[in-house]
Amino acid sequence: MNEKTIPYKIYLEESEMPKAWYNVRADMKTKPAPLLNPGTLKPMKAEELSPVFCDELVAQELDNDTAYFTIPEEIIAYYKTFRPSPVMRAYHLEKALGTPAKIYYKFEGNNTSGSHKLNSALAQAYYAKKQGLKGVTTETGAGQWGTALSMACAYFDLDCKVYMVKVSYEQKPFRREVMRTYGASVTPSPSDTTQIGRKILADHPGTTGSLGCAISEAVEMAVTSEGYRYVLGSVLNQVLLHQSIIGLEAKQALEKYGITPDIIIGCAGGGSNLGGLIAPFMGEKLRGEKDYRIIAVEPASCPSLTRGKYAYDFCDTGMVTPLAKMYTLGSDFIPSANHAGGLRYHGMSSILSQLYADGLMEATSVEQTAVFDAAEQFARTEGILPAPESAHAIRTAVDEALQCKTKGEEKTILFGLTGTGYFDMVAYEKYHNGEMSDIIPTDEELAASFAKLPNVE
Amino acid sequence: MNEKTIPYKIYLEESEMPKAWYNVRADMKTKPAPLLNPGTLKPMKAEELSPVFCDELVAQELDNDTAYFTIPEEIIAYYKTFRPSPVMRAYHLEKALGTPAKIYYKFEGNNTSGSHKLNSALAQAYYAKKQGLKGVTTETGAGQWGTALSMACAYFDLDCKVYMVKVSYEQKPFRREVMRTYGASVTPSPSDTTQIGRKILADHPGTTGSLGCAISEAVEMAVTSEGYRYVLGSVLNQVLLHQSIIGLEAKQALEKYGITPDIIIGCAGGGSNLGGLIAPFMGEKLRGEKDYRIIAVEPASCPSLTRGKYAYDFCDTGMVTPLAKMYTLGSDFIPSANHAGGLRYHGMSSILSQLYADGLMEATSVEQTAVFDAAEQFARTEGILPAPESAHAIRTAVDEALQCKTKGEEKTILFGLTGTGYFDMVAYEKYHNGEMSDIIPTDEELAASFAKLPNVE
């Protein structure tokens, strides 16, 4: 097809939107390792998970075989307010780089949550409503996931209780107010609304909280409240399933113009965006139909794939969750405080961990000043101000495009632009003021963290 | 056409994008009154305006006859990164209201500037670059216009000097950092970079600045710096010309589905959005081809159309600009400090003022708690968190839709959703905390302000 006919933004018609999520596990020869009960070390059963998660989500979580899950009409009706999201051609960035590479990005930031998180939030809220529940609980750090969930709960008329790490609640009031606009109740954590919160407050009166503590409070509130369940925005198999809509739309949009990517790049924290973006491409690769280079990009300050251990570990710092087999830095690993972007999770989705272990994808890590360099170049050429998380993928996409320039290769690159950075201007300010630095964990620090991993084979 | 085939989002193809801006003045029987030189009270000539504005923009400003101005290819190439913008069907809001009315909105918020301002910023930056200038200067209050201009200048590689009202510079650092990301220099005003700034600092050492002062500094910097011109984001004829792309796209998108609006609603501060949205519809009305109800919505705290005088007045509080004939509250009118949204301008675009004076459009004013009620209802149903400015239009659209419900009328409503409220969470917080109130100017206050109008017939 003539190059000139490829628009800046490729949109699918609403009628072309995917009707089903794709479950990449169905095509994996080695399935991701099951969640284990930390007491018995036996695989978790549905009945053990159902006090915490909705029944249908538990079923999705445990299903390694069904390739497609029909997206309910009620979810599609809301998806249509912000989906299909565009695949954009980075013409202006390509020109600035002087690269022969063709760069495309799937942009998930054009909704008020500012990221792809809304895709799974809607699904999780829908199933909670369908089960007749009153509400859901969750935790949030900076607030991206909490915002997405509060939007979803407003739409499905479901109560939404968000435990927000106290320091974020106080210092980042804007996301909190977005959540309140959608009717969520936002509680600074630790709080006196839970037993664990009261205990922490008694033991550490001046604490500003942590994500681990907020998770513990959210889970406790869910399991002790009639008609509530807990929901989570990343890491879980069910979340990657819902996020497959990113990749399904991207693949279909590119195919409309006869475009096949050579390289697919996504940032990776818990893996929700990357897992969603690559799903249908990985499916082809697993079935031996096509080959792609797939690159996970993580921060050098939180390098679970590139420097972590592939082992069973707790999913939370409080060590109350089931054990998951994943690339992990240890469940109490905390990235340097100077790390500005998200992607702070100590582990990686079990699905992506298995794919990486099987050599089906690559991983790389990037330092944060280089990430913000790329973010600024992208903003000035393409217009969109990226989220720091997304800018990790931009960094690697730019590096690959510059390699193409050196080698004179016309490769086609697709990366995931997961969101916008409007609520991250404090980090940008640090960058503008030259106050940003790169601190990466030492081998000794990681070794000490690995020594604390639970001993499970 | 079958109702069911109308999508949630109507997009034009890039190939269908308007190729020319539409100048509604060409179809006006009574042309808008000319700008006057405040010294001679004679109409301003091009040579008087060219030290301040680029030559092509001066030509556009003064041209009451040319109906279409071709949009340069260079501008279209950037427009394509965020345009065409969608016309959205508010299915979820309609359902929540239980109205038989069909509600559409043209959404201009999906770009990093967060509003329609980028449409004119790109045009103004392009003409400055084409004239071989080094840069442009402007003022900004909360920062929406400054952000749009800094994006445009980054793209056209033009220096961008923004004078930001000092209190906003200090208390609203996020927009400032967005501008810096795009390479703009942002100076808190008053500053020591201009004569007027130094004088104000000497006379009022602790001042936190004002928009009037920032305008004076930006104009002084432009006229005293080699290769610089001043640019403005609203009110001017040229700005309404560029913003006509909003209405042109909206009209074309609706026509693809055979939809004709009965009522067209837009918020109005200086008039840039409303003038752009209604332009082609008003053209049909002026040419007697069709009729539409067109409603300008302004804040009750700054009611220039509904309670102002149609008279010659200064465009700025510093009284250094030419005189414009417009509905005005007086050039030193300042809305109550409790007014949270934008739309704080004391006057109204001369084009819109003349159209209103000729009975071609209606105007209404709304109070701010009612505006935020509508904003929140819209966010919860349609997902998008609206800018407080845009929420004025939502308020009136909802009121009209509820009237349709009462009367059982299936009217089609189109309103302009000019932008998103991500940087306005302080106002939303006030609303959530019940700290928002409605203060409107008294008749005595307005009479005192009118008494100071320049005496020009």
PDB file of all heavy atoms in Angstrom, chain A residues 9 80 83 92 112 176-177 181-182 380 383 385 429 432, chain B residues 9 80 83 92 112 155 176-177 181-182 380 383 385 429 432:
ATOM      1  N   LYS A   9      -3.499   8.940  12.380  1.00  0.00           N
ATOM      2  CA  LYS A   9      -4.214   8.161  13.401  1.00  0.00           C
ATOM      3  C   LYS A   9      -5.043   7.103  12.694  1.00  0.00           C
ATOM      4  O   LYS A   9      -5.893   7.431  11.867  1.00  0.00           O
ATOM      5  CB  LYS A   9      -5.169   9.059  14.204  1.00  0.00           C
ATOM      6  CG  LYS A   9      -4.504  10.217  14.903  1.00  0.00           C
ATOM      7  CD  LYS A   9      -5.502  11.097  15.654  1.00  0.00           C
ATOM      8  CE  LYS A   9      -6.496  11.803  14.752  1.00  0.00           C
ATOM      9  NZ  LYS A   9      -5.927  12.652  13.716  1.00  0.00           N
ATOM     10  N   LYS A  80     -17.097   2.059  24.265  1.00  0.00           N
ATOM     11  CA  LYS A  80     -17.299   2.890  23.076  1.00  0.00           C
ATOM     12  C   LYS A  80     -17.169   4.387  23.358  1.00  0.00           C
ATOM     13  O   LYS A  80     -17.072   5.173  22.426  1.00  0.00           O
ATOM     14  CB  LYS A  80     -18.669   2.594  22.454  1.00  0.00           C
ATOM     15  CG  LYS A  80     -18.678   1.283  21.682  1.00  0.00           C
ATOM     16  CD  LYS A  80     -20.034   1.055  21.021  1.00  0.00           C
ATOM     17  CE  LYS A  80     -20.004  -0.245  20.211  1.00  0.00           C
ATOM     18  NZ  LYS A  80     -21.364  -0.582  19.716  1.00  0.00           N
ATOM     19  N   ARG A  83     -13.073   3.995  23.315  1.00  0.00           N
ATOM     20  CA  ARG A  83     -12.455   3.025  22.422  1.00  0.00           C
ATOM     21  C   ARG A  83     -13.238   2.990  21.114  1.00  0.00           C
ATOM     22  O   ARG A  83     -14.392   3.372  21.115  1.00  0.00           O
ATOM     23  CB  ARG A  83     -12.444   1.609  23.034  1.00  0.00           C
ATOM     24  CG  ARG A  83     -11.906   1.501  24.450  1.00  0.00           C
ATOM     25  CD  ARG A  83     -11.448   0.088  24.754  1.00  0.00           C
ATOM     26  NE  ARG A  83     -10.292  -0.228  23.941  1.00  0.00           N
ATOM     27  CZ  ARG A  83      -9.041   0.144  24.232  1.00  0.00           C
ATOM     28  NH1 ARG A  83      -8.789   0.780  25.333  1.00  0.00           N
ATOM     29  NH2 ARG A  83      -8.064  -0.130  23.408  1.00  0.00           N
ATOM     30  N   HIS A  92       6.176  12.847  12.993  1.00  0.00           N
ATOM     31  CA  HIS A  92       7.005  13.988  13.394  1.00  0.00           C
ATOM     32  C   HIS A  92       8.231  13.526  14.170  1.00  0.00           C
ATOM     33  O   HIS A  92       9.316  14.093  14.024  1.00  0.00           O
ATOM     34  CB  HIS A  92       6.179  14.973  14.228  1.00  0.00           C
ATOM     35  CG  HIS A  92       5.007  15.536  13.486  1.00  0.00           C
ATOM     36  ND1 HIS A  92       5.126  16.159  12.268  1.00  0.00           N
ATOM     37  CD2 HIS A  92       3.675  15.561  13.779  1.00  0.00           C
ATOM     38  CE1 HIS A  92       3.925  16.555  11.839  1.00  0.00           C
ATOM     39  NE2 HIS A  92       3.035  16.194  12.739  1.00  0.00           N
ATOM     40  N   THR A 112     -10.371   9.827  30.854  1.00  0.00           N
ATOM     41  CA  THR A 112     -10.065  10.639  32.029  1.00  0.00           C
ATOM     42  C   THR A 112      -9.158   9.927  33.024  1.00  0.00           C
ATOM     43  O   THR A 112      -8.403  10.571  33.752  1.00  0.00           O
ATOM     44  CB  THR A 112     -11.370  11.135  32.684  1.00  0.00           C
ATOM     45  OG1 THR A 112     -11.959  12.102  31.810  1.00  0.00           O
ATOM     46  CG2 THR A 112     -11.121  11.791  34.030  1.00  0.00           C
ATOM     47  N   ARG A 176      -6.957  12.428  43.945  1.00  0.00           N
ATOM     48  CA  ARG A 176      -7.970  12.150  44.972  1.00  0.00           C
ATOM     49  C   ARG A 176      -9.284  12.847  44.599  1.00  0.00           C
ATOM     50  O   ARG A 176     -10.368  12.261  44.708  1.00  0.00           O
ATOM     51  CB  ARG A 176      -7.452  12.689  46.312  1.00  0.00           C
ATOM     52  CG  ARG A 176      -8.389  12.543  47.469  1.00  0.00           C
ATOM     53  CD  ARG A 176      -7.842  13.285  48.689  1.00  0.00           C
ATOM     54  NE  ARG A 176      -8.104  14.711  48.619  1.00  0.00           N
ATOM     55  CZ  ARG A 176      -7.339  15.656  49.177  1.00  0.00           C
ATOM     56  NH1 ARG A 176      -6.232  15.340  49.844  1.00  0.00           N
ATOM     57  NH2 ARG A 176      -7.655  16.924  49.070  1.00  0.00           N
ATOM     58  N   GLU A 177      -9.192  14.087  44.147  1.00  0.00           N
ATOM     59  CA  GLU A 177     -10.407  14.831  43.803  1.00  0.00           C
ATOM     60  C   GLU A 177     -11.059  14.280  42.537  1.00  0.00           C
ATOM     61  O   GLU A 177     -12.278  14.330  42.395  1.00  0.00           O
ATOM     62  CB  GLU A 177     -10.110  16.320  43.656  1.00  0.00           C
ATOM     63  CG  GLU A 177      -9.743  16.998  44.968  1.00  0.00           C
ATOM     64  CD  GLU A 177     -10.762  16.746  46.081  1.00  0.00           C
ATOM     65  OE1 GLU A 177     -11.974  16.726  45.808  1.00  0.00           O
ATOM     66  OE2 GLU A 177     -10.334  16.546  47.235  1.00  0.00           O
ATOM     67  N   THR A 181     -14.868  13.013  42.389  1.00  0.00           N
ATOM     68  CA  THR A 181     -15.814  13.459  41.365  1.00  0.00           C
ATOM     69  C   THR A 181     -16.650  12.291  40.857  1.00  0.00           C
ATOM     70  O   THR A 181     -17.835  12.443  40.552  1.00  0.00           O
ATOM     71  CB  THR A 181     -15.057  14.106  40.187  1.00  0.00           C
ATOM     72  OG1 THR A 181     -14.292  15.200  40.686  1.00  0.00           O
ATOM     73  CG2 THR A 181     -16.005  14.602  39.106  1.00  0.00           C
ATOM     74  N   TYR A 182     -16.022  11.113  40.805  1.00  0.00           N
ATOM     75  CA  TYR A 182     -16.743   9.922  40.340  1.00  0.00           C
ATOM     76  C   TYR A 182     -17.423   9.184  41.496  1.00  0.00           C
ATOM     77  O   TYR A 182     -17.899   8.067  41.315  1.00  0.00           O
ATOM     78  CB  TYR A 182     -15.798   9.015  39.547  1.00  0.00           C
ATOM     79  CG  TYR A 182     -15.410   9.658  38.240  1.00  0.00           C
ATOM     80  CD1 TYR A 182     -14.269  10.449  38.141  1.00  0.00           C
ATOM     81  CD2 TYR A 182     -16.232   9.537  37.122  1.00  0.00           C
ATOM     82  CE1 TYR A 182     -13.947  11.085  36.952  1.00  0.00           C
ATOM     83  CE2 TYR A 182     -15.913  10.163  35.924  1.00  0.00           C
ATOM     84  CZ  TYR A 182     -14.773  10.937  35.851  1.00  0.00           C
ATOM     85  OH  TYR A 182     -14.462  11.578  34.680  1.00  0.00           O
ATOM     86  N   ARG A 380       7.584  17.271  22.369  1.00  0.00           N
ATOM     87  CA  ARG A 380       7.820  18.415  21.473  1.00  0.00           C
ATOM     88  C   ARG A 380       7.556  18.080  20.015  1.00  0.00           C
ATOM     89  O   ARG A 380       7.235  18.963  19.227  1.00  0.00           O
ATOM     90  CB  ARG A 380       9.253  18.919  21.662  1.00  0.00           C
ATOM     91  CG  ARG A 380       9.460  19.544  23.031  1.00  0.00           C
ATOM     92  CD  ARG A 380      10.838  20.157  23.174  1.00  0.00           C
ATOM     93  NE  ARG A 380      11.008  20.679  24.528  1.00  0.00           N
ATOM     94  CZ  ARG A 380      12.052  21.387  24.928  1.00  0.00           C
ATOM     95  NH1 ARG A 380      13.033  21.666  24.080  1.00  0.00           N
ATOM     96  NH2 ARG A 380      12.130  21.822  26.169  1.00  0.00           N
ATOM     97  N   GLY A 383       3.502  16.059  20.239  1.00  0.00           N
ATOM     98  CA  GLY A 383       2.455  16.824  20.915  1.00  0.00           C
ATOM     99  C   GLY A 383       2.040  16.253  22.255  1.00  0.00           C
ATOM    100  O   GLY A 383       1.877  16.995  23.209  1.00  0.00           O
ATOM    101  N   LEU A 385       1.987  14.748  25.845  1.00  0.00           N
ATOM    102  CA  LEU A 385       2.843  14.686  27.028  1.00  0.00           C
ATOM    103  C   LEU A 385       2.696  13.301  27.654  1.00  0.00           C
ATOM    104  O   LEU A 385       1.646  12.986  28.218  1.00  0.00           O
ATOM    105  CB  LEU A 385       2.400  15.758  28.023  1.00  0.00           C
ATOM    106  CG  LEU A 385       3.258  15.885  29.278  1.00  0.00           C
ATOM    107  CD1 LEU A 385       4.470  16.771  28.991  1.00  0.00           C
ATOM    108  CD2 LEU A 385       2.457  16.476  30.423  1.00  0.00           C
ATOM    109  N   GLU A 429       9.005  18.535  36.683  1.00  0.00           N
ATOM    110  CA  GLU A 429       9.650  19.722  37.257  1.00  0.00           C
ATOM    111  C   GLU A 429      11.055  19.375  37.751  1.00  0.00           C
ATOM    112  O   GLU A 429      12.010  20.112  37.504  1.00  0.00           O
ATOM    113  CB  GLU A 429       8.790  20.273  38.404  1.00  0.00           C
ATOM    114  CG  GLU A 429       9.376  21.540  39.020  1.00  0.00           C
ATOM    115  CD  GLU A 429       8.462  22.155  40.071  1.00  0.00           C
ATOM    116  OE1 GLU A 429       7.477  21.511  40.467  1.00  0.00           O
ATOM    117  OE2 GLU A 429       8.746  23.287  40.497  1.00  0.00           O
ATOM    118  N   HIS A 432      13.252  19.175  34.764  1.00  0.00           N
ATOM    119  CA  HIS A 432      13.606  20.495  34.223  1.00  0.00           C
ATOM    120  C   HIS A 432      14.626  21.210  35.087  1.00  0.00           C
ATOM    121  O   HIS A 432      15.449  21.971  34.596  1.00  0.00           O
ATOM    122  CB  HIS A 432      12.356  21.379  34.099  1.00  0.00           C
ATOM    123  CG  HIS A 432      11.349  20.852  33.139  1.00  0.00           C
ATOM    124  ND1 HIS A 432       9.998  20.975  33.330  1.00  0.00           N
ATOM    125  CD2 HIS A 432      11.489  20.160  31.996  1.00  0.00           C
ATOM    126  CE1 HIS A 432       9.358  20.396  32.330  1.00  0.00           C
ATOM    127  NE2 HIS A 432      10.246  19.886  31.512  1.00  0.00           N
TER     128      HIS A 432
ATOM    129  N   LYS B   9     -18.912   7.821  18.858  1.00  0.00           N
ATOM    130  CA  LYS B   9     -17.973   8.851  18.432  1.00  0.00           C
ATOM    131  C   LYS B   9     -17.998   8.916  16.915  1.00  0.00           C
ATOM    132  O   LYS B   9     -17.724   7.916  16.250  1.00  0.00           O
ATOM    133  CB  LYS B   9     -16.539   8.501  18.861  1.00  0.00           C
ATOM    134  CG  LYS B   9     -16.359   8.310  20.356  1.00  0.00           C
ATOM    135  CD  LYS B   9     -14.926   7.921  20.714  1.00  0.00           C
ATOM    136  CE  LYS B   9     -14.488   6.595  20.168  1.00  0.00           C
ATOM    137  NZ  LYS B   9     -15.324   5.443  20.571  1.00  0.00           N
ATOM    138  N   LYS B  80      -3.279  17.053  12.248  1.00  0.00           N
ATOM    139  CA  LYS B  80      -3.590  15.631  12.110  1.00  0.00           C
ATOM    140  C   LYS B  80      -3.143  14.792  13.307  1.00  0.00           C
ATOM    141  O   LYS B  80      -3.565  13.647  13.438  1.00  0.00           O
ATOM    142  CB  LYS B  80      -2.967  15.072  10.829  1.00  0.00           C
ATOM    143  CG  LYS B  80      -3.735  15.477   9.587  1.00  0.00           C
ATOM    144  CD  LYS B  80      -3.139  14.847   8.339  1.00  0.00           C
ATOM    145  CE  LYS B  80      -3.953  15.230   7.104  1.00  0.00           C
ATOM    146  NZ  LYS B  80      -3.269  14.780   5.864  1.00  0.00           N
ATOM    147  N   ARG B  83      -6.474  16.083  15.372  1.00  0.00           N
ATOM    148  CA  ARG B  83      -7.712  16.334  14.660  1.00  0.00           C
ATOM    149  C   ARG B  83      -7.873  15.298  13.554  1.00  0.00           C
ATOM    150  O   ARG B  83      -6.874  14.720  13.134  1.00  0.00           O
ATOM    151  CB  ARG B  83      -7.724  17.744  14.011  1.00  0.00           C
ATOM    152  CG  ARG B  83      -7.363  18.894  14.927  1.00  0.00           C
ATOM    153  CD  ARG B  83      -7.912  20.198  14.401  1.00  0.00           C
ATOM    154  NE  ARG B  83      -9.358  20.185  14.476  1.00  0.00           N
ATOM    155  CZ  ARG B  83     -10.060  20.433  15.597  1.00  0.00           C
ATOM    156  NH1 ARG B  83      -9.461  20.778  16.691  1.00  0.00           N
ATOM    157  NH2 ARG B  83     -11.364  20.343  15.597  1.00  0.00           N
ATOM    158  N   HIS B  92     -25.099   7.924  27.275  1.00  0.00           N
ATOM    159  CA  HIS B  92     -25.230   7.605  28.702  1.00  0.00           C
ATOM    160  C   HIS B  92     -25.865   8.760  29.480  1.00  0.00           C
ATOM    161  O   HIS B  92     -26.638   8.540  30.403  1.00  0.00           O
ATOM    162  CB  HIS B  92     -23.857   7.257  29.284  1.00  0.00           C
ATOM    163  CG  HIS B  92     -23.214   6.068  28.629  1.00  0.00           C
ATOM    164  ND1 HIS B  92     -23.850   4.857  28.523  1.00  0.00           N
ATOM    165  CD2 HIS B  92     -21.999   5.913  28.035  1.00  0.00           C
ATOM    166  CE1 HIS B  92     -23.045   3.993  27.894  1.00  0.00           C
ATOM    167  NE2 HIS B  92     -21.923   4.613  27.585  1.00  0.00           N
ATOM    168  N   THR B 112      -2.762  17.662  24.425  1.00  0.00           N
ATOM    169  CA  THR B 112      -2.120  17.952  25.708  1.00  0.00           C
ATOM    170  C   THR B 112      -2.441  19.345  26.241  1.00  0.00           C
ATOM    171  O   THR B 112      -2.446  19.554  27.446  1.00  0.00           O
ATOM    172  CB  THR B 112      -0.604  17.702  25.596  1.00  0.00           C
ATOM    173  OG1 THR B 112      -0.390  16.290  25.466  1.00  0.00           O
ATOM    174  CG2 THR B 112       0.145  18.188  26.834  1.00  0.00           C
ATOM    175  N   TYR B 155       6.750  22.874  18.057  1.00  0.00           N
ATOM    176  CA  TYR B 155       6.621  22.214  16.760  1.00  0.00           C
ATOM    177  C   TYR B 155       7.235  23.061  15.643  1.00  0.00           C
ATOM    178  O   TYR B 155       7.922  22.535  14.761  1.00  0.00           O
ATOM    179  CB  TYR B 155       5.149  21.928  16.472  1.00  0.00           C
ATOM    180  CG  TYR B 155       4.954  21.247  15.156  1.00  0.00           C
ATOM    181  CD1 TYR B 155       5.430  19.955  14.945  1.00  0.00           C
ATOM    182  CD2 TYR B 155       4.322  21.897  14.100  1.00  0.00           C
ATOM    183  CE1 TYR B 155       5.270  19.325  13.722  1.00  0.00           C
ATOM    184  CE2 TYR B 155       4.151  21.269  12.881  1.00  0.00           C
ATOM    185  CZ  TYR B 155       4.638  19.988  12.698  1.00  0.00           C
ATOM    186  OH  TYR B 155       4.478  19.375  11.478  1.00  0.00           O
ATOM    187  N   ARG B 176       2.730  25.368  34.420  1.00  0.00           N
ATOM    188  CA  ARG B 176       4.035  25.990  34.160  1.00  0.00           C
ATOM    189  C   ARG B 176       5.022  24.920  33.694  1.00  0.00           C
ATOM    190  O   ARG B 176       5.763  25.125  32.732  1.00  0.00           O
ATOM    191  CB  ARG B 176       4.530  26.626  35.473  1.00  0.00           C
ATOM    192  CG  ARG B 176       5.879  27.271  35.396  1.00  0.00           C
ATOM    193  CD  ARG B 176       6.329  27.691  36.796  1.00  0.00           C
ATOM    194  NE  ARG B 176       6.863  26.577  37.569  1.00  0.00           N
ATOM    195  CZ  ARG B 176       6.832  26.481  38.894  1.00  0.00           C
ATOM    196  NH1 ARG B 176       6.300  27.436  39.622  1.00  0.00           N
ATOM    197  NH2 ARG B 176       7.342  25.427  39.505  1.00  0.00           N
ATOM    198  N   GLU B 177       4.998  23.768  34.357  1.00  0.00           N
ATOM    199  CA  GLU B 177       5.947  22.711  33.985  1.00  0.00           C
ATOM    200  C   GLU B 177       5.590  22.090  32.635  1.00  0.00           C
ATOM    201  O   GLU B 177       6.473  21.657  31.910  1.00  0.00           O
ATOM    202  CB  GLU B 177       6.011  21.647  35.074  1.00  0.00           C
ATOM    203  CG  GLU B 177       6.640  22.144  36.371  1.00  0.00           C
ATOM    204  CD  GLU B 177       8.018  22.784  36.162  1.00  0.00           C
ATOM    205  OE1 GLU B 177       8.800  22.291  35.328  1.00  0.00           O
ATOM    206  OE2 GLU B 177       8.307  23.801  36.824  1.00  0.00           O
ATOM    207  N   THR B 181       8.148  21.914  29.555  1.00  0.00           N
ATOM    208  CA  THR B 181       8.415  20.678  28.812  1.00  0.00           C
ATOM    209  C   THR B 181       8.469  20.958  27.317  1.00  0.00           C
ATOM    210  O   THR B 181       9.261  20.349  26.591  1.00  0.00           O
ATOM    211  CB  THR B 181       7.314  19.634  29.104  1.00  0.00           C
ATOM    212  OG1 THR B 181       7.290  19.391  30.505  1.00  0.00           O
ATOM    213  CG2 THR B 181       7.581  18.326  28.369  1.00  0.00           C
ATOM    214  N   TYR B 182       7.672  21.893  26.867  1.00  0.00           N
ATOM    215  CA  TYR B 182       7.652  22.246  25.441  1.00  0.00           C
ATOM    216  C   TYR B 182       8.650  23.363  25.110  1.00  0.00           C
ATOM    217  O   TYR B 182       8.626  23.915  24.022  1.00  0.00           O
ATOM    218  CB  TYR B 182       6.233  22.601  24.997  1.00  0.00           C
ATOM    219  CG  TYR B 182       5.344  21.388  25.000  1.00  0.00           C
ATOM    220  CD1 TYR B 182       4.598  21.049  26.119  1.00  0.00           C
ATOM    221  CD2 TYR B 182       5.320  20.532  23.904  1.00  0.00           C
ATOM    222  CE1 TYR B 182       3.826  19.895  26.149  1.00  0.00           C
ATOM    223  CE2 TYR B 182       4.554  19.383  23.920  1.00  0.00           C
ATOM    224  CZ  TYR B 182       3.821  19.066  25.040  1.00  0.00           C
ATOM    225  OH  TYR B 182       3.076  17.919  25.069  1.00  0.00           O
ATOM    226  N   ARG B 380     -19.702  11.390  35.537  1.00  0.00           N
ATOM    227  CA  ARG B 380     -20.113  10.065  36.007  1.00  0.00           C
ATOM    228  C   ARG B 380     -20.828   9.256  34.925  1.00  0.00           C
ATOM    229  O   ARG B 380     -20.803   8.030  34.947  1.00  0.00           O
ATOM    230  CB  ARG B 380     -21.006  10.192  37.248  1.00  0.00           C
ATOM    231  CG  ARG B 380     -20.225  10.704  38.440  1.00  0.00           C
ATOM    232  CD  ARG B 380     -21.060  10.724  39.716  1.00  0.00           C
ATOM    233  NE  ARG B 380     -20.272  11.289  40.802  1.00  0.00           N
ATOM    234  CZ  ARG B 380     -20.673  11.337  42.064  1.00  0.00           C
ATOM    235  NH1 ARG B 380     -21.854  10.833  42.395  1.00  0.00           N
ATOM    236  NH2 ARG B 380     -19.909  11.873  42.995  1.00  0.00           N
ATOM    237  N   GLY B 383     -18.048   9.791  31.373  1.00  0.00           N
ATOM    238  CA  GLY B 383     -16.662   9.433  31.619  1.00  0.00           C
ATOM    239  C   GLY B 383     -15.719  10.623  31.639  1.00  0.00           C
ATOM    240  O   GLY B 383     -14.868  10.707  32.505  1.00  0.00           O
ATOM    241  N   LEU B 385     -13.998  14.050  32.345  1.00  0.00           N
ATOM    242  CA  LEU B 385     -14.005  15.090  33.377  1.00  0.00           C
ATOM    243  C   LEU B 385     -13.885  16.438  32.667  1.00  0.00           C
ATOM    244  O   LEU B 385     -12.835  16.772  32.134  1.00  0.00           O
ATOM    245  CB  LEU B 385     -12.818  14.886  34.311  1.00  0.00           C
ATOM    246  CG  LEU B 385     -12.727  15.846  35.486  1.00  0.00           C
ATOM    247  CD1 LEU B 385     -13.595  15.337  36.628  1.00  0.00           C
ATOM    248  CD2 LEU B 385     -11.292  15.990  35.962  1.00  0.00           C
ATOM    249  N   GLU B 429     -12.315  20.330  44.110  1.00  0.00           N
ATOM    250  CA  GLU B 429     -12.183  20.050  45.537  1.00  0.00           C
ATOM    251  C   GLU B 429     -13.079  20.982  46.355  1.00  0.00           C
ATOM    252  O   GLU B 429     -13.773  20.539  47.273  1.00  0.00           O
ATOM    253  CB  GLU B 429     -10.715  20.205  45.969  1.00  0.00           C
ATOM    254  CG  GLU B 429     -10.495  19.862  47.439  1.00  0.00           C
ATOM    255  CD  GLU B 429      -9.018  19.890  47.833  1.00  0.00           C
ATOM    256  OE1 GLU B 429      -8.191  20.352  47.028  1.00  0.00           O
ATOM    257  OE2 GLU B 429      -8.712  19.454  48.953  1.00  0.00           O
ATOM    258  N   HIS B 432     -16.540  19.712  46.034  1.00  0.00           N
ATOM    259  CA  HIS B 432     -16.798  18.510  46.851  1.00  0.00           C
ATOM    260  C   HIS B 432     -16.916  18.840  48.328  1.00  0.00           C
ATOM    261  O   HIS B 432     -17.639  18.180  49.069  1.00  0.00           O
ATOM    262  CB  HIS B 432     -15.668  17.484  46.671  1.00  0.00           C
ATOM    263  CG  HIS B 432     -15.566  16.966  45.280  1.00  0.00           C
ATOM    264  ND1 HIS B 432     -14.373  16.670  44.675  1.00  0.00           N
ATOM    265  CD2 HIS B 432     -16.515  16.719  44.347  1.00  0.00           C
ATOM    266  CE1 HIS B 432     -14.602  16.247  43.447  1.00  0.00           C
ATOM    267  NE2 HIS B 432     -15.887  16.272  43.216  1.00  0.00           N
TER     268      HIS B 432
END
